[in-house]
Amino acid sequence: MKDFKPEIKESSEWLSKIGADPTGGMTRLLYTPEWIDAQLALKKAFETAGLTTSRDAVGNLFGRLTGSKYPDKVILTGSHIDTVVNGGNLDGQFGIEASFMAIKYLKETYGAPLRTLEVVSLAEEEGSRFPYVFWGSKNIVGSAKAEDVRDICDADCVNFVDAMHAAGFHFRPESEPVRSDIAAFVELHIEQGKVLETEGKNIGVVTSIVGQRRYDIRLKGEANHAGTTPMSYRKDTVYAFSRICYESIEKARAEGDPLVLTFGKVEPKPNTVNVVPGFTHFTIDCRHTDKATLVRFTKEIEADIQRIAGEMGITAEIDLWMDEDPIPMDKQLVACLSHLCEANKANYRLMHSGAGHDSQIFAPRVPTVMIFVPSINGISHNPAEKTNQADLDEGVRMLAHTLYQLAYTEQGGNI
């Protein structure tokens, strides 16, 4: 493939205006008018470029360039169109625009590919409106369940199904077979961390997405008068939490990368100045690329919590409510992308993703790989989300090389 030197504006104004927040940033939630308008704008752009468009039952949007020799082998690329509340304009959206730009360039330069190229604007990934994530990609692979969303509502008490129907969409028919034509999925995304920026790299070749274990912990002691209860008599759940937090984080620091541990939410009760807190609810988020290490470490933390609670005469209820396995990317695709980076003199590194992405839904079912570009100061889910222009361009360039290899060469069918 001839080298491709794209020039993509960091803020694609024609799309970023849809859902723009007057106070800065953008909000584009599933099945809202802003979401609908964004999908329609993309549909028009795809069609103007000569792609054949379609939408599935739940609202995923596709733009297709049909293959001349293997039309039933699809190289799928794209990301999600929804945002968090008051988020940035790169998370998700950049991956769609970059995929569209790369396919448009390949079409104009080389004509029809051997295998079908398809850009997808996934309906939803973030879970920002309803308490459900990956609705778009889960519907494509057939793992979404209607019963999981029938009774959930948004913050305004709007039911998920009612919102979906109002937007003109419906559940995927149970009789409809799951797609079996996807030969590979390639997702370009901002890193949402600062590893690439810190190391001076332009491209990250993602080898895996971390596994996650999340907990709700409830400590039950005894609320009592702050002035009349001697220290030795207290069953103080904030003190217990502080011991748990300190010991756990010290243990995580000793364990080292890539393990991360976060105590993100703490709610003591009665939460007033002159009462010993008799109840504390807190959360734990632990992530690692290796399942065995993740399980071993979190089991140790669970045992430490019970030990500390027992020493202080309080009780601890531990609820493990999320247990997601690490997801490796396809080894052949990782090797292919790494080779392309070297051949095209890209400044890259192998790395894992500490955040979840649609790729983790596709990866167990079809060969999948992710490409990262740097995030300035590691900031994302924030109006200040930003990536240098040169890094955006480099991401699109390497995506185009990858899609060319997979769709336009005979060797691409062996990956």
Side-chain angles (χ1 to χ4, degrees):
M1 172 186 154
K2 292 181 289 187
D3 202 12
F4 173 38
K5 296 181 179 179
E7 293 183 3
I8 180 169
K9 289 184 179 180
E10 181 182 342
S11 174
S12 296
E13 295 180 359
W14 67 278
L15 190 54
S16 295
K17 287 180 180 178
I18 304 173
D21 193 314
T23 63
M26 62 192 306
T27 302
R28 191 189 294 145
L29 307 182
L30 179 64
Y31 297 140
T32 60
E34 295 80 13
W35 178 93
I36 293 170
D37 288 347
Q39 289 290 62
L40 289 176
L42 282 168
K43 183 175 184 293
K44 182 178 179 181
F46 293 171
E47 290 172 348
T48 299
L51 304 183
T52 302
T53 62
S54 63
R55 291 187 290 182
D56 65 13
V58 302
N60 291 310
L61 171 69
F62 303 90
R64 172 177 286 231
L65 180 60
T66 302
S68 60
K69 190 172 182 180
Y70 310 106
D72 295 331
K73 297 292 184 181
V74 176
I75 309 302
L76 186 66
T77 182
S79 196
H80 59 96
I81 192 63
D82 68 312
T83 72
V84 298
V85 175
N86 197 224
N89 66 345
L90 294 173
D91 179 9
Q93 177 174 295
F94 169 62
I96 300 168
E97 293 180 297
S99 296
F100 172 49
M101 177 176 289
I103 291 177
K104 183 173 181 289
Y105 166 78
L106 292 171
K107 174 180 178 291
E108 293 172 350
T109 306
Y110 300 101
L114 299 178
R115 294 167 200 86
T116 295
L117 276 171
E118 197 167 68
V119 54
V120 60
S121 176
L122 292 161
E124 189 275 342
E125 185 254 18
E126 298 285 5
S128 295
R129 182 179 183 187
F130 300 99
Y132 188 95
V133 294
F134 302 120
W135 177 242
S137 51
K138 284 181 177 178
N139 268 277
I140 292 176
V141 303
S143 64
K145 297 178 181 178
E147 57 265 29
D148 291 340
V149 297
R150 287 192 192 279
D151 298 322
I152 63 175
C153 297
D154 66 11
D156 296 319
C157 297
V158 177
N159 176 265
F160 185 102
V161 179
D162 291 341
M164 179 172 63
H165 289 170
F169 300 101
H170 307 273
F171 289 117
R172 185 177 68 85
E174 292 183 4
S175 59
E176 181 180 297
V178 175
R179 286 187 62 169
S180 60
D181 61 342
I182 302 174
F185 178 64
V186 185
E187 183 175 13
L188 174 59
H189 208 281
I190 57 171
E191 181 193 348
Q192 300 178 286
K194 59 191 307 181
V195 172
L196 291 175
E197 181 185 54
T198 300
E199 298 191 4
K201 302 293 185 180
N202 305 111
I203 294 290
V205 176
V206 178
T207 57
S208 66
I209 297 175
V210 294
Q212 300 184 42
R213 288 190 134 204
R214 294 185 185 179
Y215 293 87
D216 275 321
I217 315 291
R218 292 171 176 83
L219 302 178
K220 296 181 180 180
E222 182 178 77
N224 217 328
H225 197 291
T228 62
T229 309
M231 299 301 289
S232 61
Y233 293 176
R234 297 184 178 204
K235 296 181 179 181
D236 183 341
T237 58
V238 165
Y239 178 34
F241 164 76
S242 69
R243 287 185 59 190
I244 292 166
C245 182
Y246 175 79
E247 287 190 21
S248 300
I249 289 178
E250 286 299 301
K251 183 170 288 188
R253 289 170 64 89
E255 184 76 26
D257 292 337
L259 184 134
V260 291
L261 181 71
T262 304
F263 291 79
K265 180 179 180 180
V266 186
E267 295 179 323
K269 292 182 180 179
N271 198 23
T272 189
V273 66
N274 59 348
V275 179
V276 176
F279 177 88
T280 296
H281 165 235
F282 64 95
T283 62
I284 296 176
D285 178 313
C286 189
R287 310 186 188 201
H288 199 285
T289 55
D290 178 69
K291 178 68 172 180
T293 303
L294 179 62
V295 172
R296 171 188 59 77
F297 183 85
T298 51
K299 288 292 185 183
E300 291 177 8
I301 297 300
E302 291 177 32
D304 290 343
I305 291 171
Q306 295 294 6
R307 171 180 56 80
I308 292 169
E311 290 172 356
M312 298 184 64
I314 64 177
T315 62
E317 295 178 356
I318 301 174
D319 177 20
L320 173 62
W321 61 271
M322 176 187 281
D323 188 6
E324 297 286 347
D325 290 351
I327 303 294
M329 299 292 99
D330 183 80
K331 290 183 179 179
Q332 284 186 287
L333 284 178
V334 169
C336 173
L337 178 54
S338 298
H339 172 75
L340 289 171
C341 285
E342 291 169 4
N344 291 280
K345 297 180 173 55
N347 184 15
Y348 81 103
R349 64 157 285 170
L350 299 174
M351 64 186 300
H352 71 271
S353 172
H357 296 283
D358 286 297
S359 286
Q360 73 190 64
I361 305 301
F362 285 103
R365 299 162 178 87
V366 300
T368 298
V369 73
M370 288 196 76
I371 305 170
F372 276 170
V373 293
S375 297
I376 295 176
N377 293 322
I379 294 174
S380 184
H381 285 186
N382 184 313
E385 181 179 273
K386 191 175 179 64
T387 294
N388 287 323
Q389 182 68 54
D391 293 331
L392 294 174
D393 293 344
E394 184 70 347
V396 180
R397 184 176 80 100
M398 291 315 305
L399 175 63
H401 278 288
T402 304
L403 297 180
Y404 178 85
Q405 180 68 26
L406 296 177
Y408 282 84
T409 69
E410 287 288 353
Q411 298 94 317
N414 299 322
I415 295 173

